[in-house]
Amino acid sequence: MSPRRSADTRPDIALVISDVDGTLVTDDKRLTPATVAAVRRLGAAGIGFTLASSRPPVGLRGLVRDLGLALPLGAFNGACVVGPDLAVIEEYAIPEDAAREAAHRLTAAGVDLWVFAAGAWWLRDPDGPYTDLERRTLQAEPRVRDDLAPLLGRAQKIVGVSRDHAHLAACEAAVAEALGKRASVHRSQPYYLDVTPPGQDKGAFVAWMGRHLGLAPERIATFGDAANDRAMFARSGLSVAMGNAEDAVKAAASATTDSNESDGFAGAVDRLILAAAARP
């Protein structure tokens, strides 16, 4: 682990917000005992904990149960704030013109298209790339329909899916340039390109939680591994990039830790947050 600034000058952390996939869970989507124990130690120290994820609300249900979460959570990269019972507190949709252009460009680029709208996950091909992985991740089944266009007026997230990671990275740049400020465009995984509502990213959720709990940004710590987590990093006092993160993500963080496969979250909680909280 390599912190880039002294913990001695950092205000006490009162809230930890973590990404999920690539950060809190292993690559096969498991919570390790060390991670569960670290979240419990945060609670015992009086430090709040919640999640900001690209997943839809239903994909957070098992984590709420297994971690005993009690605070609001940010789904769809922060574009949908839900309570621990998954009841919607605040939600946004992609502007329809941006959603239609994103869908057109992704389809033209030859990547599979998923649409999250009306409380469900929609796609054309139930056997497409990474569909089984998403089923296991969300513990939910997709709804299949040939024409996704009627859903684009109420889409909360559109995902381009491809096994060709380099091609998807090129799509990210092209779609982001085309949509400009009309949507947020970031890969949440090398194989998932997320299009979500503008201005409602994970950083906005960090700010929302700060207002909700009356906390200054300096008292919030964030954990992440992907490009969409950099918005969180910019709005928090302590930001921790996972060891499996790309170099650009690590450069945006104030500290790094081990990978999600090596209990990097738990290690950073103990060394960077709880150790500081225990000092007189």
Side-chain angles (χ1 to χ4, degrees):
M1 181 178 296
S2 55
R4 293 193 177 92
R5 62 184 177 183
S6 171
D8 292 336
T9 61
R10 186 183 299 125
D12 287 343
I13 296 299
L15 174 67
V16 174
I17 302 176
S18 179
D19 169 54
V20 175
D21 299 293
T23 300
L24 196 70
V25 299
T26 59
D27 291 345
D28 60 358
K29 310 302 181 182
R30 290 182 301 106
L31 285 169
T32 68
T35 295
V36 174
V39 172
R40 289 174 178 163
R41 287 195 294 276
L42 286 171
I47 298 170
F49 178 78
T50 192
L51 306 173
S53 175
S54 65
R55 294 185 185 191
V58 67
L60 303 176
R61 187 186 305 278
L63 296 165
V64 171
R65 178 194 63 233
D66 295 343
L67 296 171
L69 303 185
L71 292 174
L73 307 103
F76 292 133
N77 290 327
C80 181
V81 180
V82 297
D85 60 355
L86 304 189
V88 172
I89 298 171
E90 193 171 293
E91 63 181 343
Y92 299 86
I94 306 167
E96 185 171 356
D97 66 324
R100 293 193 181 282
E101 183 169 357
H104 171 74
R105 288 180 176 274
L106 290 170
T107 300
V111 303
D112 274 35
L113 190 70
W114 297 347
V115 177
F116 289 85
W121 163 34
W122 306 84
L123 44 69
R124 297 187 184 103
D125 181 4
D127 300 313
Y130 298 103
T131 303
D132 281 344
L133 174 63
E134 193 73 353
R135 283 188 179 100
R136 295 194 303 271
T137 299
L138 302 184
Q139 294 294 296
E141 283 293 318
R143 298 189 184 183
V144 180
R145 59 182 296 165
D146 292 334
D147 185 9
L148 299 175
L151 300 167
L152 297 176
R154 46 187 172 155
Q156 291 180 284
K157 183 172 76 163
I158 295 169
V159 186
V161 186
S162 178
R163 297 190 191 281
D164 187 338
H165 301 173
H167 177 54
L168 201 62
C171 289
E172 177 181 20
V175 173
E177 181 178 7
L179 297 185
K181 295 182 179 180
R182 292 181 293 153
S184 178
V185 182
H186 293 289
R187 281 175 298 152
S188 57
Q189 297 292 332
Y191 41 84
Y192 290 161
L193 175 56
D194 295 348
V195 180
T196 51
Q200 301 301 322
D201 57 17
K202 291 185 179 183
F205 176 68
V206 172
W208 189 96
M209 285 299 301
R211 293 191 300 272
H212 179 68
L213 297 177
L215 296 175
E218 293 78 12
R219 301 199 67 200
I220 301 174
T222 54
F223 285 72
D225 74 301
N228 62 339
D229 295 316
R230 288 184 290 182
M232 273 201 308
F233 292 175
R235 306 291 285 270
S236 57
L238 169 64
S239 52
V240 184
M242 305 302 292
N244 47 291
E246 294 181 355
D247 289 344
V249 177
K250 292 178 180 177
S254 53
T256 60
T257 187
D258 294 331
S259 76
N260 64 316
E261 289 287 294
S262 301
D263 286 322
F265 172 84
V269 163
D270 286 340
R271 299 184 201 180
L272 294 177
I273 298 173
L274 294 179
R279 286 199 299 267

